[in-house]
Amino acid sequence: MNNLYQLKEVSVVYGKGENSVRALSDINLDIKKGEKIAIVGVSGAGKSTLLNVLSGLEKITEGELLFQDAPLYSLQEKQLADVRLKNFGFVFQAFHLISNLTVYDNIVLPSMTAYGKIDKEWFDMLAEKLQISHRLKHKPVQLSGGEKQRVAIARALINKPQVVFADEPSGNLDTKNGDIVFQLLFDYAEENRQTLIYVTHDLQKAQLAERQITIKDGVIVS
């Protein structure tokens, strides 16, 4: 009843015939609303592929993936993009800020795209909590790594997503800024009763989650 996601025999295969590679194989997984989940495993195990499948960025080859009891990948591309925009927030290791836009414009872009307006009170709260209010007119090139990641988090949260996805969000940061990033992500999920799913190679960061999913060779082993 509480399931946000249901994955049934989900596989992702790249290529065809002898050259095919199974990035994920026969994944069965239920995720409940409000869970905080770490996806762990060695490099190349399929962690990011699973994250991309859950977030609507990577189409499945076999099986079925339900989001809120509806098949996610039966949607037309425009409908799928709308689901991603309004329900999911993304925080990536490489930040992916748009270099020619100001911090302000980077943050509000998802909100303007989805709704044509912003929730000013929510924006102001995010900017203050993330300590970037004084940087809103700057371009990404003028920011430190920690500031860029906090801007990326604000952008990910601007539409109040049901699910926040983070792929090695502290990978390009020092320990102090990495700890801040994880605290901010967990605070959002806890305060808003939303779901946080993140990939990390850091076992200490993985242990922050209430549940760990370990992947090996495209298969969930624990």
Side-chain angles (χ1 to χ4, degrees):
M1 294 292 291
N2 261 347
N3 282 339
L4 188 65
Y5 284 98
Q6 290 176 283
L7 279 68
K8 303 175 182 180
E9 301 294 320
V10 166
S11 296
V12 174
V13 181
Y14 299 123
K16 294 182 179 180
E18 295 180 356
N19 296 321
S20 66
V21 176
R22 296 184 75 85
L24 294 178
S25 186
D26 300 324
I27 299 292
N28 291 290
L29 178 65
D30 291 341
I31 296 175
K32 292 179 169 50
K33 181 176 173 60
E35 283 196 280
K36 290 88 173 173
I37 296 174
I39 302 174
V40 298
V42 299
S43 179
K47 304 185 300 297
S48 293
T49 301
L50 178 56
L51 199 74
N52 290 340
V53 161
L54 292 168
S55 60
L57 292 173
E58 182 78 61
K59 289 190 175 182
I60 63 177
T61 308
E62 302 165 1
E64 184 177 41
L65 188 154
L66 303 180
F67 173 68
Q68 295 182 324
D69 296 323
L72 187 63
Y73 287 105
S74 67
L75 297 173
Q76 297 295 319
E77 186 54 45
K78 186 175 181 181
Q79 294 172 307
L80 181 58
D82 196 55
V83 169
R84 286 196 301 259
L85 188 59
K86 294 180 179 178
N87 295 278
F88 304 151
F90 308 85
V91 181
F92 299 104
Q93 179 178 347
F95 316 133
H96 292 307
L97 300 178
I98 300 174
S99 61
N100 63 335
L101 295 183
T102 64
V103 165
Y104 175 87
D105 288 333
N106 266 281
I107 295 170
V108 304
L109 183 60
S111 189
M112 293 301 297
T113 303
Y115 305 111
K117 60 182 180 180
I118 65 168
D119 181 336
K120 188 175 185 307
E121 184 178 352
W122 178 245
F123 174 89
D124 289 343
M125 189 280 292
L126 285 175
E128 182 178 353
K129 184 163 186 175
L130 293 165
Q131 299 179 5
I132 51 176
S133 298
H134 63 300
R135 294 299 233 167
L136 298 179
K137 294 182 180 180
H138 291 74
K139 297 286 183 68
V141 70
Q142 298 172 287
L143 307 179
S144 68
E147 288 172 331
K148 288 177 183 177
Q149 194 61 297
R150 293 201 298 275
V151 172
I153 291 172
R155 181 184 58 188
L157 301 184
I158 192 66
N159 283 346
K160 300 180 181 178
Q162 292 191 62
V163 190
V164 177
F165 296 98
D167 194 352
E168 298 281 8
S170 62
N172 284 331
L173 303 176
D174 57 39
T175 300
K176 179 181 177 182
N177 279 302
D179 290 344
I180 290 171
V181 162
F182 271 90
Q183 187 63 56
L184 291 166
L185 293 174
F186 272 86
D187 283 350
Y188 171 80
E190 192 67 36
E191 291 167 7
N192 296 279
R193 298 181 180 179
Q194 302 293 20
T195 305
L196 171 63
I197 304 173
Y198 62 95
V199 165
T200 183
H201 67 279
D202 186 329
L203 293 181
Q204 288 186 323
K205 295 292 190 295
Q207 289 168 0
L208 296 172
E210 60 196 19
R211 180 181 173 195
Q212 295 180 29
I213 295 172
T214 304
I215 298 183
K216 182 179 181 181
D217 298 328
V219 176
I220 293 179
V221 296
S222 65

